[in-house]
Every structure is written in structure tokens, then in C-alpha cells.
Amino acid sequence: GTFYGTLLSALDAAQADQAVRALAMQMLDDTGIIFNTGNTVCFHGGYTALTDSSPSGFTTVVGPVKISSGCLVVDRLVIK
């Protein structure tokens, strides 16, 4: 897989029906995340390592999350 520096860049690059994995960590984003791809993307958070077969924690996003176009299916995501 491809590694991205931010959650937003990973979501923007995801093609329709692709899955995005994220580490179990807190992500600070003052401007927020705006999902606007028109695609359906599955987000799976909480991985200790991206090579793990299953998650053991949660990924936390501090900042607003807005879905303006498309469908974002989430698992193990906390929004503060």
C-alpha cells in the first residue's frame, strides 16, 4: 500500500470502494477534514502497525469532519 502524511491526503487519493487504514493515534487538524471525492471509501482506524491483520485501538481526529460528496464508511474512528 501507499503511505500518506495526513488522513485527508489518504482519503483524497482513495479510489471508489477502496479501504484506508490508519494508525491508533490522535491526529490534530485545525482546518478539519473535508471528504469531497464523490466516491464510497471505507476507513479503518486503530491499527498498531499498518501490517496488523486487525485493529486493537482507535484513531482520533481532533477537528471537524465534513462529508460533502461521497460516502465515508468508518470503523474505529473517534471525532473530537
Side-chain angles (χ1 to χ4, degrees):
T2 303
F3 296 93
Y4 295 92
T6 66
L7 179 55
L8 181 58
S9 63
L11 291 172
D12 284 346
Q15 299 298 312
D17 300 319
Q18 256 188 330
V20 172
R21 288 180 157 197
L23 295 172
M25 61 184 292
Q26 181 168 292
M27 301 177 184
L28 303 173
D29 195 335
D30 294 335
T31 60
I33 294 173
I34 299 172
F35 183 75
N36 189 26
T37 67
N39 294 326
T40 296
V41 175
C42 294
F43 171 84
H44 303 282
Y47 287 87
T48 303
L50 295 178
T51 56
D52 290 349
S53 59
S54 60
S56 59
F58 292 88
T59 301
T60 302
V61 173
V62 178
V65 175
K66 179 181 178 183
I67 301 168
S68 60
S69 172
C71 179
L72 184 61
V73 180
V74 298
D75 180 40
R76 295 185 170 266
L77 175 67
V78 175
I79 303 168
K80 289 186 175 182

